């Protein structure tokens, strides 16, 4: 029993010391006891007494006090640097614990490519709001990338190849690019032997891509080929490109998830199936941070649960 009491007293003492560190750090950061008290939501007297007690216990002057300002001594500055690290770690530990225990709630702000968003993300959004009724979802579906560092969104579902190394990402799937044509071109495309044969054919280009008129093909046994196509229609959205191909405007390259149903239903035909184009990844991308809100983690987990087999 005595040992337990000693442990409880030590714990209470450590907690009190942690509070004193927070009081001291607030004074250094704000430059006054009054401002520190306002930040902490307590009285100036409490802040002053606790900092003074800290100085008495360690027999060290941490702050110089004048009528105009409060400033740390050399010892105070060195101590503050350690305090800031300790308080940061403590805050992150509490945040992590709260995150684990918390039920997802609040508004989740996300963005996704228009085509993939409509095809794959919107059904998951519907399931997410049913599973977590305390959550709402505000989604921006666009082929133009939304800047994650702007603070407008907490999560982006990116399709393609990641270029921003300052962000954190989790791969949730992959996709293949397929060369497709309208079914009315069936006899014509069956006569194609190699990628270079498509250079003279009309092509529907997706201007949202970096270089929509140049494509590189690979083959299991033949040498790779790079081709320059002849765009006759230029559109800035994947779904618009798909519709133009359906209507017979030309052939194009589209992601497999956007054309899978059309190929199965015969609304599109695959061209040169023995030749492959570069595959890409589907990623959940986050602003750089150590911890994620419960709503973000829950949505990504559900996305993987629903789409993992589809994208594997």
């Amino acid at each position: 029993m005595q040992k337990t009491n000693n442990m409880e007293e030590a714990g209470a003492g450590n907690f009190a010391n942690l509070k004193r560190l927070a009081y001291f750090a607030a004074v250094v950061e704000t430059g006054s006891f009054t401002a520190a008290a306002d930040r902490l939501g307590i009285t100036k007297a409490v802040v002053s007494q606790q900092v003074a007690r800290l100085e008495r216990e360690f027999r060290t002057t941490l702050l110089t006090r004048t009528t105009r300002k409060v400033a740390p001594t050399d010892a105070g500055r060195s101590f503050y640097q350690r305090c800031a690290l300790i308080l940061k770690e403590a805050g992150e530990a509490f945040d992590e614990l709260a995150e684990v225990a918390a039920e997802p709630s609040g508004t989740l702000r996300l963005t996704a490519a228009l085509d993939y968003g409509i095809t794959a993300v919107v059904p998951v959004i519907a399931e997410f709001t049913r599973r977590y009724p305390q959550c709402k979802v505000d989604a921006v579906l666009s082929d133009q990338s939304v800047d994650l560092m702007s603070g407008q969104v907490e999560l982006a579902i990116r399709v393609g190849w990641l270029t921003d190394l300052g962000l954190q990402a989790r791969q949730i799937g992959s996709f293949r690019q397929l060369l497709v044509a309208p079914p009315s071109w069936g006899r014509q495309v069956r006569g194609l032997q190699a990628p270079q044969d498509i250079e003279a054919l009309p092509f529907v280009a997706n201007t949202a891509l970096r270089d929509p008129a140049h494509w590189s093909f690979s083959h299991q046994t033949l040498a790779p080929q790079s081709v320059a196509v002849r765009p006759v229609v230029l559109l800035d959205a994947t779904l618009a490109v798909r519709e133009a191909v359906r209507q017979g405007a030309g052939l194009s390259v589209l992601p497999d998830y956007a054309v899978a149903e059309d190929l199965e239903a015969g609304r599109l035909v695959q061209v040169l199936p023995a030749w492959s184009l570069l595959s890409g990844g589907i990623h959940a991308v986050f602003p750089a941070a150590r911890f994620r809100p419960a709503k973000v983690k829950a949505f990504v987990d559900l996305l993987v649960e629903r789409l993992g087999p589809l994208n594997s």
Side-chain angles (χ1 to χ4, degrees):
M1 179 64 69
Q2 183 64 38
K3 183 176 181 180
T4 300
N5 289 338
N6 289 341
M7 290 175 64
E8 291 176 350
E9 290 173 3
N14 289 336
F15 182 71
N17 285 334
L18 188 61
K19 290 178 66 175
R20 292 189 191 111
L21 297 188
Y23 297 158
F24 169 71
V27 174
V28 174
E29 290 166 0
T30 62
S32 79
F33 286 96
T34 301
D38 289 342
R39 175 196 283 187
L40 297 167
I42 57 179
T43 66
K44 176 183 176 182
V46 170
V47 177
S48 180
Q49 290 168 3
Q50 293 300 317
V51 172
R53 183 172 178 178
L54 196 62
E55 290 179 313
R56 286 197 305 272
E57 287 180 354
F58 292 97
R59 298 180 181 180
T60 302
T61 300
L62 299 173
L63 300 169
T64 57
R65 303 156 174 84
T66 68
T67 55
R68 292 186 177 182
K69 67 176 183 177
V70 178
T73 62
D74 289 342
R77 275 190 293 272
S78 178
F79 185 58
Y80 167 74
Q81 292 174 354
R82 294 296 186 97
C83 287
L85 291 174
I86 292 170
L87 293 170
K88 180 175 181 292
E89 289 290 333
E92 290 178 347
F94 286 124
D95 289 345
E96 184 176 13
L97 183 62
E99 180 182 323
V100 171
E103 178 75 9
S105 62
T107 300
L108 172 62
R109 300 180 303 277
L110 66 87
T111 182
L114 180 62
D115 57 326
Y116 192 75
I118 292 173
T119 304
V121 179
V122 169
V124 176
I125 289 175
E127 173 64 22
F128 179 75
T129 54
R130 287 194 296 268
R131 186 175 297 189
Y132 302 104
Q134 299 302 313
C135 289
K136 297 189 295 184
V137 177
D138 182 358
V140 176
L141 304 182
S142 172
D143 282 343
Q144 305 301 317
S145 293
V146 176
D147 181 9
L148 277 177
M149 303 310 293
S150 67
Q152 297 177 359
V153 295
E154 302 162 284
L155 170 67
I157 307 303
R158 295 272 170 84
V159 177
W161 299 268
L162 299 179
T163 57
D164 192 338
L165 300 180
L167 301 174
Q168 297 175 347
R170 174 184 176 184
Q171 185 164 358
I172 59 175
S174 60
F175 68 95
R176 295 185 301 136
Q177 298 184 104
L178 303 177
L179 182 64
V180 296
S184 59
W185 288 27
R187 183 177 300 176
Q188 184 177 4
V189 298
R190 282 194 294 271
L192 300 176
Q193 300 297 316
Q196 291 177 348
D197 296 338
I198 72 172
E199 291 183 333
L201 299 177
F203 192 90
V204 181
N206 187 345
T207 57
L209 302 177
R210 183 177 302 175
D211 190 1
H214 295 85
W215 298 94
S216 296
F217 293 80
S218 61
H219 194 279
Q220 287 187 342
T221 59
L222 302 175
Q225 289 189 16
S226 295
V227 300
V229 296
R230 181 173 62 89
V232 295
V233 177
L234 296 97
L235 299 166
D236 67 351
T238 301
L239 297 183
V241 171
R242 183 183 67 185
E243 185 59 27
V245 177
R246 282 177 179 172
Q247 297 301 323
L251 50 75
S252 191
V253 173
L254 287 162
D256 56 1
Y257 59 81
V259 298
E261 292 184 1
D262 291 294
L263 291 172
E264 184 175 350
R267 291 186 294 268
L268 294 173
V269 295
Q270 186 175 357
V271 182
L272 298 172
W275 292 82
S276 300
L277 290 151
L278 185 65
S279 297
I282 300 168
H283 294 83
V285 185
F286 322 90
R290 186 165 181 179
F291 301 111
R292 301 279 158 236
K295 59 188 176 183
V296 174
K297 293 183 65 176
F299 186 85
V300 174
D301 288 343
L302 180 58
L303 199 60
V304 172
E305 175 187 322
R306 289 287 301 272
L307 304 178
L310 178 67
N311 291 286
S312 60

